[in-house]
Amino acid sequence: MKNFKYLLIMIVALAIPVSSCSTDDDNDHDYHLEYVNVISAELPDEFNHGSTYKIEVTIALPNSCYFYYDQYDYIYDGTTRLIYPIGHVDDGASCNQIITETTFSIPVEVLQSEPYIFKFYQGKDPDGEDMFLTIEVPVI
């Protein structure tokens, strides 16, 4: 009987948190992620080997349904770095068509002696190929 009481208490204790959870959350909304276009990037004329720099990148958010939360893909390809900023896009919301610019920083630690080639995503061309703002920075 004593074990039955403990078992009953444990079942009730576990059932309370489960029953209090609600799947009806007013804060949920539909969204998707997509790459957004880079307008400009500020880089030094040269890097010093072993130093760390912050690259300032300005992007365009095409309308009020786009938000930027400091997310980007930073892809290594030999001495080239491909940078794709990621926008959160609210689906099903009414949006105004005002383009907003925002700037964020990317830390870069200079560990290679070869020049760095940065390619910042700027959308797709008519053939569907990625376009880039390309900037080369020598290392001294």
Side-chain angles (χ1 to χ4, degrees):
M1 185 70 165
K2 195 175 195 180
N3 287 337
F4 179 73
K5 280 184 181 179
Y6 290 122
L7 181 62
L8 185 60
I9 290 172
M10 288 179 53
I11 291 172
V12 170
L14 291 173
I16 290 173
V18 171
S19 66
S20 66
C21 294
S22 171
T23 58
D24 182 26
D25 189 354
D26 290 338
N27 292 328
D28 283 346
H29 63 279
D30 291 330
Y31 71 93
H32 68 277
L33 304 176
E34 70 181 55
Y35 293 136
V36 293
N37 298 349
V38 171
I39 298 171
S40 65
E42 293 181 28
L43 291 96
D45 293 332
E46 59 191 18
F47 285 147
N48 288 315
H49 188 270
S51 296
T52 301
Y53 296 85
K54 284 193 177 197
I55 296 173
E56 298 294 318
V57 181
T58 301
I59 59 174
L61 302 174
N63 61 48
S64 65
C65 286
Y66 282 73
F67 300 93
Y68 184 71
Y69 296 112
D70 207 26
Q71 292 180 302
Y72 51 88
D73 284 340
Y74 187 91
I75 301 166
Y76 294 82
D77 184 15
T79 61
T80 300
R81 305 296 183 262
L82 303 167
I83 294 120
Y84 292 86
I86 300 171
H88 291 235
V89 186
D90 281 340
D91 295 329
S94 60
C95 313
N96 68 39
Q97 298 305 310
I98 297 172
I99 296 173
T100 305
E101 293 181 8
T102 189
T103 301
F104 66 97
S105 298
I106 298 175
V108 175
E109 185 177 6
V110 180
L111 300 176
Q112 68 189 37
S113 55
E114 299 87 6
Y116 280 74
I117 301 167
F118 293 94
K119 291 187 170 187
F120 300 92
Y121 180 75
Q122 290 194 303
K124 297 207 178 270
D125 68 14
D127 295 327
E129 298 294 319
D130 290 347
M131 298 183 307
F132 296 97
L133 166 65
T134 303
I135 300 173
E136 184 173 331
V137 181
V139 177
I140 58 169

